[in-house]
PDB file of all heavy atoms in Angstrom:
ATOM      1  N   MET A 129     -75.084 -74.549  12.979  1.00 59.00           N
ATOM      2  CA  MET A 129     -73.620 -74.430  12.825  1.00 59.00           C
ATOM      3  C   MET A 129     -73.004 -75.270  13.911  1.00 59.00           C
ATOM      4  O   MET A 129     -71.966 -74.866  14.489  1.00 59.00           O
ATOM      5  CB  MET A 129     -73.279 -72.968  13.053  1.00 59.00           C
ATOM      6  CG  MET A 129     -73.914 -72.032  11.901  1.00 59.00           C
ATOM      7  SD  MET A 129     -73.845 -70.402  12.295  1.00 59.00           S
ATOM      8  CE  MET A 129     -74.941 -69.840  10.956  1.00 59.00           C
ATOM      9  N   ALA A 130     -73.668 -76.351  14.286  1.00 71.00           N
ATOM     10  CA  ALA A 130     -73.206 -77.220  15.334  1.00 71.00           C
ATOM     11  C   ALA A 130     -71.994 -77.984  14.904  1.00 71.00           C
ATOM     12  O   ALA A 130     -71.839 -78.284  13.711  1.00 71.00           O
ATOM     13  CB  ALA A 130     -74.250 -78.122  15.744  1.00 71.00           C
ATOM     14  N   LEU A 142     -78.775 -86.181  11.276  1.00 31.00           N
ATOM     15  CA  LEU A 142     -79.625 -85.043  11.616  1.00 31.00           C
ATOM     16  C   LEU A 142     -79.021 -83.743  11.308  1.00 31.00           C
ATOM     17  O   LEU A 142     -79.554 -82.938  10.574  1.00 31.00           O
ATOM     18  CB  LEU A 142     -79.910 -85.024  13.187  1.00 31.00           C
ATOM     19  CG  LEU A 142     -80.535 -83.805  13.774  1.00 31.00           C
ATOM     20  CD1 LEU A 142     -81.990 -83.680  13.303  1.00 31.00           C
ATOM     21  CD2 LEU A 142     -80.533 -83.845  15.324  1.00 31.00           C
ATOM     22  N   LEU A 143     -77.737 -83.575  11.593  1.00 36.00           N
ATOM     23  CA  LEU A 143     -77.117 -82.218  11.389  1.00 36.00           C
ATOM     24  C   LEU A 143     -76.747 -82.036   9.972  1.00 36.00           C
ATOM     25  O   LEU A 143     -76.833 -80.913   9.456  1.00 36.00           O
ATOM     26  CB  LEU A 143     -75.776 -82.136  12.303  1.00 36.00           C
ATOM     27  CG  LEU A 143     -76.056 -82.240  13.810  1.00 36.00           C
ATOM     28  CD1 LEU A 143     -74.787 -82.097  14.537  1.00 36.00           C
ATOM     29  CD2 LEU A 143     -77.023 -81.073  14.229  1.00 36.00           C
ATOM     30  N   GLY A 144     -76.351 -83.035   9.257  1.00 34.00           N
ATOM     31  CA  GLY A 144     -75.849 -82.833   7.926  1.00 34.00           C
ATOM     32  C   GLY A 144     -76.915 -83.302   6.836  1.00 34.00           C
ATOM     33  O   GLY A 144     -77.305 -82.487   6.110  1.00 34.00           O
ATOM     34  N   ALA A 146     -80.034 -84.340   7.071  1.00 34.00           N
ATOM     35  CA  ALA A 146     -81.384 -83.844   7.168  1.00 34.00           C
ATOM     36  C   ALA A 146     -81.469 -82.328   6.855  1.00 34.00           C
ATOM     37  O   ALA A 146     -82.379 -81.923   6.234  1.00 34.00           O
ATOM     38  CB  ALA A 146     -81.919 -84.148   8.629  1.00 34.00           C
ATOM     39  N   LEU A 147     -80.472 -81.592   7.330  1.00 34.00           N
ATOM     40  CA  LEU A 147     -80.548 -80.167   7.048  1.00 34.00           C
ATOM     41  C   LEU A 147     -79.901 -79.765   5.716  1.00 34.00           C
ATOM     42  O   LEU A 147     -80.525 -79.024   4.991  1.00 34.00           O
ATOM     43  CB  LEU A 147     -79.773 -79.432   8.196  1.00 34.00           C
ATOM     44  CG  LEU A 147     -80.353 -79.558   9.544  1.00 34.00           C
ATOM     45  CD1 LEU A 147     -79.508 -78.892  10.619  1.00 34.00           C
ATOM     46  CD2 LEU A 147     -81.787 -79.066   9.648  1.00 34.00           C
ATOM     47  N   ALA A 148     -78.818 -80.254   5.452  1.00 33.00           N
ATOM     48  CA  ALA A 148     -78.110 -80.131   4.117  1.00 33.00           C
ATOM     49  C   ALA A 148     -78.118 -78.693   3.656  1.00 33.00           C
ATOM     50  O   ALA A 148     -78.107 -78.401   2.452  1.00 33.00           O
ATOM     51  CB  ALA A 148     -78.837 -81.013   3.085  1.00 33.00           C
ATOM     52  N   ALA A 149     -78.016 -77.753   4.528  1.00 34.00           N
ATOM     53  CA  ALA A 149     -77.963 -76.383   4.165  1.00 34.00           C
ATOM     54  C   ALA A 149     -76.623 -75.911   3.974  1.00 34.00           C
ATOM     55  O   ALA A 149     -76.123 -75.484   2.904  1.00 34.00           O
ATOM     56  CB  ALA A 149     -78.723 -75.502   5.170  1.00 34.00           C
ATOM     57  N   ASN A 150     -75.800 -75.901   5.039  1.00 33.00           N
ATOM     58  CA  ASN A 150     -74.386 -75.480   4.912  1.00 33.00           C
ATOM     59  C   ASN A 150     -73.520 -76.230   5.956  1.00 33.00           C
ATOM     60  O   ASN A 150     -72.602 -75.711   6.457  1.00 33.00           O
ATOM     61  CB  ASN A 150     -74.218 -74.002   5.166  1.00 33.00           C
ATOM     62  CG  ASN A 150     -74.737 -73.568   6.418  1.00 33.00           C
ATOM     63  OD1 ASN A 150     -75.306 -74.290   7.291  1.00 33.00           O
ATOM     64  ND2 ASN A 150     -74.597 -72.199   6.695  1.00 33.00           N
ATOM     65  N   GLY A 151     -73.907 -77.483   6.258  1.00 33.00           N
ATOM     66  CA  GLY A 151     -73.187 -78.259   7.165  1.00 33.00           C
ATOM     67  C   GLY A 151     -73.254 -77.817   8.618  1.00 33.00           C
ATOM     68  O   GLY A 151     -72.481 -78.201   9.417  1.00 33.00           O
ATOM     69  N   CYS A 152     -74.305 -77.004   8.954  1.00 42.00           N
ATOM     70  CA  CYS A 152     -74.451 -76.381  10.266  1.00 42.00           C
ATOM     71  C   CYS A 152     -75.798 -76.666  10.765  1.00 42.00           C
ATOM     72  O   CYS A 152     -76.640 -77.257  10.176  1.00 42.00           O
ATOM     73  CB  CYS A 152     -74.100 -75.039  10.191  1.00 42.00           C
ATOM     74  SG  CYS A 152     -72.508 -74.613   9.434  1.00 42.00           S
ATOM     75  N   SER A 153     -76.127 -76.036  11.945  1.00 38.00           N
ATOM     76  CA  SER A 153     -77.422 -76.123  12.523  1.00 38.00           C
ATOM     77  C   SER A 153     -78.318 -74.954  11.925  1.00 38.00           C
ATOM     78  O   SER A 153     -79.387 -74.819  12.466  1.00 38.00           O
ATOM     79  CB  SER A 153     -77.429 -76.013  14.018  1.00 38.00           C
ATOM     80  OG  SER A 153     -76.829 -74.803  14.439  1.00 38.00           O
ATOM     81  N   ASP A 154     -77.889 -74.318  11.011  1.00 33.00           N
ATOM     82  CA  ASP A 154     -78.675 -73.266  10.362  1.00 33.00           C
ATOM     83  C   ASP A 154     -79.992 -73.818   9.928  1.00 33.00           C
ATOM     84  O   ASP A 154     -79.987 -74.889   9.178  1.00 33.00           O
ATOM     85  CB  ASP A 154     -77.912 -72.705   9.165  1.00 33.00           C
ATOM     86  CG  ASP A 154     -78.404 -71.303   8.748  1.00 33.00           C
ATOM     87  OD1 ASP A 154     -79.169 -70.739   9.450  1.00 33.00           O
ATOM     88  OD2 ASP A 154     -77.878 -70.941   7.636  1.00 33.00           O
ATOM     89  N   THR A 155     -81.140 -73.256  10.315  1.00 32.00           N
ATOM     90  CA  THR A 155     -82.442 -73.902   9.956  1.00 32.00           C
ATOM     91  C   THR A 155     -83.163 -73.262   8.960  1.00 32.00           C
ATOM     92  O   THR A 155     -84.430 -73.479   8.837  1.00 32.00           O
ATOM     93  CB  THR A 155     -83.230 -73.880  11.290  1.00 32.00           C
ATOM     94  OG1 THR A 155     -83.308 -72.487  11.775  1.00 32.00           O
ATOM     95  CG2 THR A 155     -82.565 -74.757  12.397  1.00 32.00           C
ATOM     96  N   ASP A 156     -82.559 -72.556   8.003  1.00 36.00           N
ATOM     97  CA  ASP A 156     -83.357 -71.997   6.929  1.00 36.00           C
ATOM     98  C   ASP A 156     -83.803 -72.961   5.902  1.00 36.00           C
ATOM     99  O   ASP A 156     -84.678 -72.628   5.035  1.00 36.00           O
ATOM    100  CB  ASP A 156     -82.584 -70.741   6.316  1.00 36.00           C
ATOM    101  CG  ASP A 156     -81.319 -71.238   5.643  1.00 36.00           C
ATOM    102  OD1 ASP A 156     -81.326 -72.154   4.813  1.00 36.00           O
ATOM    103  OD2 ASP A 156     -80.289 -70.514   5.819  1.00 36.00           O
ATOM    104  N   GLY A 157     -83.136 -74.123   5.871  1.00 33.00           N
ATOM    105  CA  GLY A 157     -83.603 -75.263   5.002  1.00 33.00           C
ATOM    106  C   GLY A 157     -83.089 -75.071   3.566  1.00 33.00           C
ATOM    107  O   GLY A 157     -83.361 -75.999   2.799  1.00 33.00           O
ATOM    108  N   GLY A 158     -82.337 -74.090   3.222  1.00 36.00           N
ATOM    109  CA  GLY A 158     -81.891 -74.006   1.803  1.00 36.00           C
ATOM    110  C   GLY A 158     -80.379 -73.746   1.851  1.00 36.00           C
ATOM    111  O   GLY A 158     -79.797 -73.331   2.736  1.00 36.00           O
ATOM    112  N   ALA A 159     -79.737 -74.104   0.688  1.00 39.00           N
ATOM    113  CA  ALA A 159     -78.265 -74.073   0.580  1.00 39.00           C
ATOM    114  C   ALA A 159     -77.976 -72.688  -0.066  1.00 39.00           C
ATOM    115  O   ALA A 159     -78.724 -72.211  -0.862  1.00 39.00           O
ATOM    116  CB  ALA A 159     -77.717 -75.166  -0.381  1.00 39.00           C
ATOM    117  N   PRO A 160     -76.907 -72.028   0.372  1.00 42.00           N
ATOM    118  CA  PRO A 160     -76.452 -70.810  -0.244  1.00 42.00           C
ATOM    119  C   PRO A 160     -76.030 -71.015  -1.647  1.00 42.00           C
ATOM    120  O   PRO A 160     -75.640 -72.165  -2.034  1.00 42.00           O
ATOM    121  CB  PRO A 160     -75.345 -70.311   0.630  1.00 42.00           C
ATOM    122  CG  PRO A 160     -74.814 -71.563   1.198  1.00 42.00           C
ATOM    123  CD  PRO A 160     -75.951 -72.526   1.382  1.00 42.00           C
ATOM    124  N   SER A 272     -81.617 -73.685  21.853  1.00 89.00           N
ATOM    125  CA  SER A 272     -81.058 -72.499  21.123  1.00 89.00           C
ATOM    126  C   SER A 272     -81.887 -71.172  21.374  1.00 89.00           C
ATOM    127  O   SER A 272     -81.303 -70.187  21.577  1.00 89.00           O
ATOM    128  CB  SER A 272     -80.952 -72.778  19.617  1.00 89.00           C
ATOM    129  OG  SER A 272     -80.094 -73.819  19.344  1.00 89.00           O
ATOM    130  N   GLU A 276     -80.450 -67.584  22.798  1.00 94.00           N
ATOM    131  CA  GLU A 276     -80.647 -66.307  22.127  1.00 94.00           C
ATOM    132  C   GLU A 276     -81.287 -65.310  23.079  1.00 94.00           C
ATOM    133  O   GLU A 276     -80.898 -64.194  23.123  1.00 94.00           O
ATOM    134  CB  GLU A 276     -81.478 -66.532  20.883  1.00 94.00           C
ATOM    135  CG  GLU A 276     -80.790 -67.285  19.769  1.00 94.00           C
ATOM    136  CD  GLU A 276     -81.552 -67.547  18.594  1.00 94.00           C
ATOM    137  OE1 GLU A 276     -82.715 -66.879  18.478  1.00 94.00           O
ATOM    138  OE2 GLU A 276     -81.186 -68.188  17.667  1.00 94.00           O
ATOM    139  N   ASP A 311     -81.674 -79.657  22.041  1.00 88.00           N
ATOM    140  CA  ASP A 311     -82.393 -78.831  21.021  1.00 88.00           C
ATOM    141  C   ASP A 311     -82.755 -79.720  19.848  1.00 88.00           C
ATOM    142  O   ASP A 311     -81.977 -80.543  19.357  1.00 88.00           O
ATOM    143  CB  ASP A 311     -81.538 -77.637  20.517  1.00 88.00           C
ATOM    144  CG  ASP A 311     -82.234 -76.726  19.649  1.00 88.00           C
ATOM    145  OD1 ASP A 311     -82.377 -76.909  18.390  1.00 88.00           O
ATOM    146  OD2 ASP A 311     -82.705 -75.685  20.186  1.00 88.00           O
ATOM    147  N   ALA A 313     -83.096 -79.238  16.747  1.00 85.00           N
ATOM    148  CA  ALA A 313     -82.218 -79.071  15.536  1.00 85.00           C
ATOM    149  C   ALA A 313     -80.773 -79.575  15.764  1.00 85.00           C
ATOM    150  O   ALA A 313     -80.082 -79.892  14.776  1.00 85.00           O
ATOM    151  CB  ALA A 313     -82.281 -77.629  15.057  1.00 85.00           C
ATOM    152  N   LEU A 314     -80.304 -79.585  17.022  1.00 87.00           N
ATOM    153  CA  LEU A 314     -78.942 -79.825  17.197  1.00 87.00           C
ATOM    154  C   LEU A 314     -78.681 -81.188  17.866  1.00 87.00           C
ATOM    155  O   LEU A 314     -77.647 -81.881  17.612  1.00 87.00           O
ATOM    156  CB  LEU A 314     -78.365 -78.803  18.281  1.00 87.00           C
ATOM    157  CG  LEU A 314     -78.353 -77.354  17.851  1.00 87.00           C
ATOM    158  CD1 LEU A 314     -77.857 -76.459  18.977  1.00 87.00           C
ATOM    159  CD2 LEU A 314     -77.537 -77.149  16.586  1.00 87.00           C
ATOM    160  N   ASP A 324     -71.435 -74.917  19.171  1.00 96.00           N
ATOM    161  CA  ASP A 324     -72.372 -74.376  18.229  1.00 96.00           C
ATOM    162  C   ASP A 324     -72.010 -72.867  18.069  1.00 96.00           C
ATOM    163  O   ASP A 324     -71.597 -72.183  19.072  1.00 96.00           O
ATOM    164  CB  ASP A 324     -73.859 -74.607  18.721  1.00 96.00           C
ATOM    165  CG  ASP A 324     -74.899 -74.004  17.753  1.00 96.00           C
ATOM    166  OD1 ASP A 324     -74.660 -74.064  16.473  1.00 96.00           O
ATOM    167  OD2 ASP A 324     -75.906 -73.519  18.142  1.00 96.00           O
ATOM    168  N   HIS A 325     -72.243 -72.356  16.926  1.00 97.00           N
ATOM    169  CA  HIS A 325     -72.243 -70.907  16.713  1.00 97.00           C
ATOM    170  C   HIS A 325     -73.376 -70.483  15.837  1.00 97.00           C
ATOM    171  O   HIS A 325     -73.892 -71.267  15.035  1.00 97.00           O
ATOM    172  CB  HIS A 325     -70.870 -70.395  16.178  1.00 97.00           C
ATOM    173  CG  HIS A 325     -70.754 -70.609  14.666  1.00 97.00           C
ATOM    174  ND1 HIS A 325     -71.120 -69.536  13.806  1.00 97.00           N
ATOM    175  CD2 HIS A 325     -70.416 -71.653  13.933  1.00 97.00           C
ATOM    176  CE1 HIS A 325     -70.954 -70.043  12.547  1.00 97.00           C
ATOM    177  NE2 HIS A 325     -70.496 -71.250  12.619  1.00 97.00           N
ATOM    178  N   ASP A 326     -73.866 -69.257  16.149  1.00 97.00           N
ATOM    179  CA  ASP A 326     -75.010 -68.828  15.387  1.00 97.00           C
ATOM    180  C   ASP A 326     -75.046 -67.276  15.551  1.00 97.00           C
ATOM    181  O   ASP A 326     -74.049 -66.608  15.976  1.00 97.00           O
ATOM    182  CB  ASP A 326     -76.362 -69.455  15.855  1.00 97.00           C
ATOM    183  CG  ASP A 326     -77.386 -69.604  14.848  1.00 97.00           C
ATOM    184  OD1 ASP A 326     -77.457 -68.732  13.892  1.00 97.00           O
ATOM    185  OD2 ASP A 326     -78.214 -70.506  14.962  1.00 97.00           O
ATOM    186  N   SER A 327     -76.189 -66.726  15.119  1.00 97.00           N
ATOM    187  CA  SER A 327     -76.277 -65.231  15.259  1.00 97.00           C
ATOM    188  C   SER A 327     -77.679 -64.947  15.580  1.00 97.00           C
ATOM    189  O   SER A 327     -78.644 -65.678  15.200  1.00 97.00           O
ATOM    190  CB  SER A 327     -75.734 -64.549  14.002  1.00 97.00           C
ATOM    191  OG  SER A 327     -76.447 -64.998  12.837  1.00 97.00           O
ATOM    192  N   ASP A 370     -67.792 -67.128   9.084  1.00 98.00           N
ATOM    193  CA  ASP A 370     -69.233 -67.275   8.621  1.00 98.00           C
ATOM    194  C   ASP A 370     -70.143 -66.920   9.724  1.00 98.00           C
ATOM    195  O   ASP A 370     -70.897 -67.700  10.308  1.00 98.00           O
ATOM    196  CB  ASP A 370     -69.476 -68.715   8.196  1.00 98.00           C
ATOM    197  CG  ASP A 370     -70.902 -68.945   7.492  1.00 98.00           C
ATOM    198  OD1 ASP A 370     -71.321 -67.988   6.813  1.00 98.00           O
ATOM    199  OD2 ASP A 370     -71.418 -69.994   7.658  1.00 98.00           O
ATOM    200  N   PRO A 371     -70.162 -65.599  10.033  1.00 98.00           N
ATOM    201  CA  PRO A 371     -70.841 -65.233  11.344  1.00 98.00           C
ATOM    202  C   PRO A 371     -72.392 -65.111  11.314  1.00 98.00           C
ATOM    203  O   PRO A 371     -73.045 -65.292  12.329  1.00 98.00           O
ATOM    204  CB  PRO A 371     -70.224 -63.848  11.679  1.00 98.00           C
ATOM    205  CG  PRO A 371     -69.830 -63.343  10.261  1.00 98.00           C
ATOM    206  CD  PRO A 371     -69.390 -64.508   9.469  1.00 98.00           C
ATOM    207  N   PHE A 372     -72.920 -64.790  10.148  1.00 97.00           N
ATOM    208  CA  PHE A 372     -74.323 -64.377  10.147  1.00 97.00           C
ATOM    209  C   PHE A 372     -75.144 -65.206   9.123  1.00 97.00           C
ATOM    210  O   PHE A 372     -76.018 -64.716   8.441  1.00 97.00           O
ATOM    211  CB  PHE A 372     -74.411 -62.821   9.820  1.00 97.00           C
ATOM    212  CG  PHE A 372     -73.626 -62.019  10.718  1.00 97.00           C
ATOM    213  CD1 PHE A 372     -72.709 -61.161  10.081  1.00 97.00           C
ATOM    214  CD2 PHE A 372     -73.776 -62.096  12.094  1.00 97.00           C
ATOM    215  CE1 PHE A 372     -71.866 -60.323  10.993  1.00 97.00           C
ATOM    216  CE2 PHE A 372     -72.960 -61.268  12.811  1.00 97.00           C
ATOM    217  CZ  PHE A 372     -72.070 -60.364  12.333  1.00 97.00           C
ATOM    218  N   ALA A 373     -74.915 -66.570   9.075  1.00 94.00           N
ATOM    219  CA  ALA A 373     -75.602 -67.281   8.091  1.00 94.00           C
ATOM    220  C   ALA A 373     -77.085 -67.382   8.337  1.00 94.00           C
ATOM    221  O   ALA A 373     -77.892 -67.531   7.407  1.00 94.00           O
ATOM    222  CB  ALA A 373     -74.977 -68.678   8.129  1.00 94.00           C
ATOM    223  N   THR A 374     -77.590 -67.189   9.577  1.00 93.00           N
ATOM    224  CA  THR A 374     -79.018 -67.379   9.920  1.00 93.00           C
ATOM    225  C   THR A 374     -79.654 -66.099   9.275  1.00 93.00           C
ATOM    226  O   THR A 374     -80.888 -66.311   8.904  1.00 93.00           O
ATOM    227  CB  THR A 374     -79.239 -67.327  11.366  1.00 93.00           C
ATOM    228  OG1 THR A 374     -78.686 -68.588  11.931  1.00 93.00           O
ATOM    229  CG2 THR A 374     -80.691 -67.364  11.766  1.00 93.00           C
ATOM    230  N   GLN A 375     -79.023 -65.111   9.138  1.00 94.00           N
ATOM    231  CA  GLN A 375     -79.563 -63.856   8.450  1.00 94.00           C
ATOM    232  C   GLN A 375     -79.294 -63.885   6.908  1.00 94.00           C
ATOM    233  O   GLN A 375     -79.496 -62.939   6.213  1.00 94.00           O
ATOM    234  CB  GLN A 375     -78.969 -62.570   9.088  1.00 94.00           C
ATOM    235  CG  GLN A 375     -79.505 -62.198  10.425  1.00 94.00           C
ATOM    236  CD  GLN A 375     -79.097 -63.226  11.506  1.00 94.00           C
ATOM    237  OE1 GLN A 375     -77.910 -63.429  11.695  1.00 94.00           O
ATOM    238  NE2 GLN A 375     -80.000 -63.656  12.267  1.00 94.00           N
ATOM    239  N   HIS A 376     -78.852 -65.053   6.454  1.00 94.00           N
ATOM    240  CA  HIS A 376     -78.504 -65.278   4.964  1.00 94.00           C
ATOM    241  C   HIS A 376     -77.408 -64.392   4.546  1.00 94.00           C
ATOM    242  O   HIS A 376     -77.304 -64.105   3.305  1.00 94.00           O
ATOM    243  CB  HIS A 376     -79.759 -65.030   4.123  1.00 94.00           C
ATOM    244  CG  HIS A 376     -80.968 -65.871   4.519  1.00 94.00           C
ATOM    245  ND1 HIS A 376     -81.081 -67.275   4.288  1.00 94.00           N
ATOM    246  CD2 HIS A 376     -82.148 -65.544   5.317  1.00 94.00           C
ATOM    247  CE1 HIS A 376     -82.158 -67.682   4.825  1.00 94.00           C
ATOM    248  NE2 HIS A 376     -82.820 -66.687   5.387  1.00 94.00           N
ATOM    249  N   LEU A 377     -76.577 -64.016   5.451  1.00 95.00           N
ATOM    250  CA  LEU A 377     -75.383 -63.263   5.158  1.00 95.00           C
ATOM    251  C   LEU A 377     -74.219 -64.196   5.172  1.00 95.00           C
ATOM    252  O   LEU A 377     -73.437 -64.214   6.149  1.00 95.00           O
ATOM    253  CB  LEU A 377     -75.201 -61.993   6.114  1.00 95.00           C
ATOM    254  CG  LEU A 377     -76.315 -61.060   6.144  1.00 95.00           C
ATOM    255  CD1 LEU A 377     -76.125 -60.060   7.249  1.00 95.00           C
ATOM    256  CD2 LEU A 377     -76.440 -60.357   4.788  1.00 95.00           C
ATOM    257  N   TYR A 378     -74.084 -65.016   4.118  1.00 96.00           N
ATOM    258  CA  TYR A 378     -73.086 -66.128   4.203  1.00 96.00           C
ATOM    259  C   TYR A 378     -71.670 -65.672   4.146  1.00 96.00           C
ATOM    260  O   TYR A 378     -71.331 -64.667   3.409  1.00 96.00           O
ATOM    261  CB  TYR A 378     -73.404 -67.058   3.146  1.00 96.00           C
ATOM    262  CG  TYR A 378     -74.819 -67.709   3.200  1.00 96.00           C
ATOM    263  CD1 TYR A 378     -75.862 -67.401   2.370  1.00 96.00           C
ATOM    264  CD2 TYR A 378     -74.999 -68.720   4.222  1.00 96.00           C
ATOM    265  CE1 TYR A 378     -77.138 -67.915   2.523  1.00 96.00           C
ATOM    266  CE2 TYR A 378     -76.254 -69.268   4.417  1.00 96.00           C
ATOM    267  CZ  TYR A 378     -77.312 -68.883   3.504  1.00 96.00           C
ATOM    268  OH  TYR A 378     -78.529 -69.403   3.643  1.00 96.00           O
ATOM    269  N   GLY A 379     -70.848 -66.374   4.781  1.00 97.00           N
ATOM    270  CA  GLY A 379     -69.406 -66.143   4.829  1.00 97.00           C
ATOM    271  C   GLY A 379     -68.752 -67.396   4.005  1.00 97.00           C
ATOM    272  O   GLY A 379     -69.286 -67.824   3.033  1.00 97.00           O
ATOM    273  N   THR A 381     -68.633 -70.518   3.405  1.00 96.00           N
ATOM    274  CA  THR A 381     -69.534 -71.821   3.451  1.00 96.00           C
ATOM    275  C   THR A 381     -69.900 -72.278   2.027  1.00 96.00           C
ATOM    276  O   THR A 381     -70.801 -73.160   1.914  1.00 96.00           O
ATOM    277  CB  THR A 381     -70.708 -71.553   4.383  1.00 96.00           C
ATOM    278  OG1 THR A 381     -71.251 -72.852   4.589  1.00 96.00           O
ATOM    279  CG2 THR A 381     -71.656 -70.600   3.785  1.00 96.00           C
ATOM    280  N   GLN A 391     -71.614 -80.083   1.210  1.00 94.00           N
ATOM    281  CA  GLN A 391     -72.581 -79.518   2.049  1.00 94.00           C
ATOM    282  C   GLN A 391     -73.163 -80.595   2.991  1.00 94.00           C
ATOM    283  O   GLN A 391     -73.638 -80.204   4.168  1.00 94.00           O
ATOM    284  CB  GLN A 391     -73.647 -78.834   1.175  1.00 94.00           C
ATOM    285  CG  GLN A 391     -73.259 -77.928   0.185  1.00 94.00           C
ATOM    286  CD  GLN A 391     -72.985 -76.524   0.629  1.00 94.00           C
ATOM    287  OE1 GLN A 391     -73.268 -76.183   1.742  1.00 94.00           O
ATOM    288  NE2 GLN A 391     -72.352 -75.735  -0.208  1.00 94.00           N
ATOM    289  N   SER A 396     -69.709 -77.596   5.142  1.00 96.00           N
ATOM    290  CA  SER A 396     -68.931 -76.721   4.237  1.00 96.00           C
ATOM    291  C   SER A 396     -68.386 -75.480   4.859  1.00 96.00           C
ATOM    292  O   SER A 396     -67.734 -74.679   4.248  1.00 96.00           O
ATOM    293  CB  SER A 396     -69.948 -76.303   3.158  1.00 96.00           C
ATOM    294  OG  SER A 396     -71.070 -75.583   3.665  1.00 96.00           O
ATOM    295  N   GLU A 397     -68.472 -75.295   6.279  1.00 97.00           N
ATOM    296  CA  GLU A 397     -67.787 -74.249   6.806  1.00 97.00           C
ATOM    297  C   GLU A 397     -66.258 -74.708   7.041  1.00 97.00           C
ATOM    298  O   GLU A 397     -65.994 -75.907   7.026  1.00 97.00           O
ATOM    299  CB  GLU A 397     -68.426 -73.875   8.211  1.00 97.00           C
ATOM    300  CG  GLU A 397     -69.668 -73.120   8.047  1.00 97.00           C
ATOM    301  CD  GLU A 397     -70.224 -72.615   9.335  1.00 97.00           C
ATOM    302  OE1 GLU A 397     -70.388 -73.408  10.362  1.00 97.00           O
ATOM    303  OE2 GLU A 397     -70.560 -71.388   9.485  1.00 97.00           O
ATOM    304  N   ASP A 400     -65.654 -77.221   9.824  1.00 97.00           N
ATOM    305  CA  ASP A 400     -66.275 -78.545   9.436  1.00 97.00           C
ATOM    306  C   ASP A 400     -65.531 -79.388   8.583  1.00 97.00           C
ATOM    307  O   ASP A 400     -65.529 -80.618   8.612  1.00 97.00           O
ATOM    308  CB  ASP A 400     -67.722 -78.290   8.871  1.00 97.00           C
ATOM    309  CG  ASP A 400     -68.736 -77.689   9.929  1.00 97.00           C
ATOM    310  OD1 ASP A 400     -68.420 -77.877  11.138  1.00 97.00           O
ATOM    311  OD2 ASP A 400     -69.650 -76.987   9.455  1.00 97.00           O
ATOM    312  N   TYR A 459     -81.618 -81.047  -3.926  1.00 88.00           N
ATOM    313  CA  TYR A 459     -82.116 -80.884  -2.531  1.00 88.00           C
ATOM    314  C   TYR A 459     -83.405 -80.093  -2.655  1.00 88.00           C
ATOM    315  O   TYR A 459     -83.463 -78.960  -3.169  1.00 88.00           O
ATOM    316  CB  TYR A 459     -81.130 -80.085  -1.807  1.00 88.00           C
ATOM    317  CG  TYR A 459     -81.629 -79.918  -0.303  1.00 88.00           C
ATOM    318  CD1 TYR A 459     -81.506 -81.005   0.587  1.00 88.00           C
ATOM    319  CD2 TYR A 459     -82.065 -78.659   0.060  1.00 88.00           C
ATOM    320  CE1 TYR A 459     -81.904 -80.823   1.854  1.00 88.00           C
ATOM    321  CE2 TYR A 459     -82.467 -78.568   1.425  1.00 88.00           C
ATOM    322  CZ  TYR A 459     -82.475 -79.676   2.275  1.00 88.00           C
ATOM    323  OH  TYR A 459     -82.890 -79.550   3.573  1.00 88.00           O
TER     324      TYR A 459
END
Side-chain angles (χ1 to χ4, degrees):
M129 300 165 192
L142 170 67
L143 297 179
L147 297 178
N150 60 358
C152 308
S153 64
D154 200 10
T155 56
D156 61 50
S272 295
E276 291 181 7
D311 188 274
L314 301 177
D324 182 36
H325 80 94
D326 210 331
S327 56
D370 186 32
F372 308 122
T374 296
Q375 283 70 51
H376 306 284
L377 301 171
Y378 296 106
T381 188
Q391 307 279 350
S396 57
E397 290 185 308
D400 291 336
Y459 182 74

